[in-house]
Amino acid sequence: MAPQFPTGTDYVQEFVLALATWASASARAGLASLLQSFGESTEPDYLAIVPVYNRMLAIALLVVGAVIAIGLVEHILGGQLGLSWNLVPRVLIAVFFAFGGLTLVQYLSAYAALLATAWSPDLGQYAQSLTDPASVDHLSRHASAGTLGALIFTALLTILMAVIVHLELLVRAALMLTVTAFIPLVCVLAIWPRMTAAAVQLVEFLVGLMLSKFVVATVIYIGFGLVIPAMHGAQSAEGKAGWLSAGLAILLIATFSPAILFQGLRFAHGSAGGMVRGWGAGAISMMTMGSIARLGSGLGRSAVTRFRRGISKTQSRNSNESAAPGRNS
């Protein structure tokens, strides 16, 4: 019997098997890195800003009197958003949240981080299924060229996703620390009703930052939940096509355009630009020039009216005196 030498088809199969094995190992490494990113490694360290928070609290307590005075002046001048009977409760609530803001944010952030790990066991199973030798051999020998291409693309996307998502979560932690440091000042400014919008913007922004990790983790879980079963030949419950492409599209959105995800979620709709615009509008509305202008224009109109009435009375009196000699003659 003549010896059989390996043909070109055998070399292609070996190359495809090696490439599929490498792609699976890379995807597992990427998923493992993502799981670490959703853990404590990307959570903010609130103890680092304790000195800054205490100093900001001292600054805020120094300006309490000025904020109360501005609110009372606006009420005296007839402004609709001044301070009157609501002064005492607003001051008590603002001071309470100024003192306990750091503790409250740290408490809520811990539970938000716990939500982000809700899908970690399932993502771990997906990573294990990608590196199962039997699964890899099945994919390399029985899957189509499109499925193998999707496997390689998913592996590369997972590696890139691990890097980008980790950087996004680090930026999230930095923003949370920065915004938390300004809580005392914003709480004290919110004593004046005109600055309540700035406090609301701050709360929305913090809530959006806290839950953003959970949103990204959920979307990545949905994407891999569509991609990996489709690569193993599974079909959707309704038998519809495009399962694999839909999962890849979800992973691309989670990697490159996470802002699109937050547009449809009200709790994550606040953004840094919106917060800055809210602070700018609040700072502009702090000026009582509008009330002073309205008061000055009212005084001016009343003075002009009185002056015109005086002139008209003088003219009528003069006309009566000039008509009196004619009657006597």
Side-chain angles (χ1 to χ4, degrees):
M1 187 175 181
Q4 295 181 354
F5 296 97
T7 61
T9 304
D10 296 331
Y11 285 116
V12 171
Q13 289 181 352
E14 292 295 331
F15 174 76
V16 169
L17 179 61
L19 189 61
T21 303
W22 169 84
S24 300
S26 301
R28 181 176 184 179
L31 280 175
S33 178
L34 280 175
L35 292 178
Q36 292 180 357
S37 298
F38 293 141
E40 292 292 332
S41 60
T42 55
E43 283 300 305
D45 184 11
Y46 292 100
L47 295 179
I49 64 168
V50 170
V52 178
Y53 191 90
N54 292 335
R55 187 167 299 182
M56 190 67 71
L57 179 61
I59 295 173
L61 294 178
L62 287 176
V63 302
V64 169
V67 175
I68 294 175
I70 294 173
L72 292 175
V73 168
E74 181 178 359
H75 178 70
I76 293 171
L77 295 177
Q80 298 180 356
L81 296 178
L83 289 172
S84 57
W85 59 269
N86 56 351
L87 172 62
V88 175
R90 293 183 72 92
V91 171
L92 292 178
I93 294 173
V95 173
F96 171 77
F97 281 105
F99 274 95
L102 180 60
T103 304
L104 182 62
V105 171
Q106 188 174 4
Y107 180 78
L108 295 177
S109 179
Y111 279 97
L114 186 62
L115 280 176
T117 60
W119 317 114
S120 297
D122 299 303
L123 290 175
Q125 292 179 0
Y126 288 153
Q128 185 176 1
S129 66
L130 283 176
T131 53
D132 186 10
S135 176
V136 174
D137 183 72
H138 175 78
L139 284 174
S140 61
R141 297 183 185 279
H142 302 284
S144 62
T147 304
L148 288 176
L151 174 62
I152 298 172
F153 180 76
T154 303
L156 297 176
L157 181 61
T158 304
I159 298 172
L160 184 61
M161 184 189 304
V163 177
I164 295 179
V165 170
H166 186 77
L167 292 177
E168 291 174 354
L169 294 179
L170 289 179
V171 173
R172 165 187 173 270
L175 285 174
M176 290 178 67
L177 291 177
T178 304
V179 175
T180 303
F182 287 93
I183 287 179
L185 187 59
V186 175
C187 288
V188 169
L189 292 178
I191 295 175
W192 189 12
R194 285 189 179 274
M195 291 299 296
T196 304
V200 173
Q201 290 283 345
L202 181 68
V203 172
E204 288 184 355
F205 188 64
L206 272 176
V207 172
L209 286 176
M210 289 179 186
L211 296 179
S212 60
K213 181 186 285 190
F214 172 67
V215 173
V216 173
T218 303
V219 173
I220 290 176
Y221 169 70
I222 294 173
F224 278 109
L226 294 176
V227 169
I228 294 180
M231 287 191 302
H232 286 81
Q235 298 294 328
S236 63
E238 299 180 357
K240 294 182 179 180
W243 203 8
L244 181 62
S245 59
L248 291 176
I250 293 174
L251 293 179
L252 285 172
I253 292 174
T255 304
F256 299 103
S257 301
I260 297 177
L261 306 174
F262 304 136
Q263 295 298 323
L265 300 174
R266 186 64 188 92
F267 62 80
H269 187 63
S271 61
M275 183 182 64
V276 172
R277 287 192 297 270
W279 284 1
I284 294 174
S285 64
M286 284 180 63
M287 297 183 298
T288 58
M289 294 303 296
S291 300
I292 296 174
R294 287 194 298 270
L295 179 61
S297 62
L299 293 177
R301 284 195 299 268
S302 62
V304 171
T305 303
R306 291 177 183 177
F307 181 71
R308 289 178 178 176
R309 289 177 180 176
I311 292 176
S312 61
K313 289 181 180 180
T314 304
Q315 290 178 351
S316 61
R317 189 178 304 165
N318 293 334
S319 61
N320 292 332
E321 290 178 355
S322 61
R327 293 196 192 102
N328 293 334
S329 60

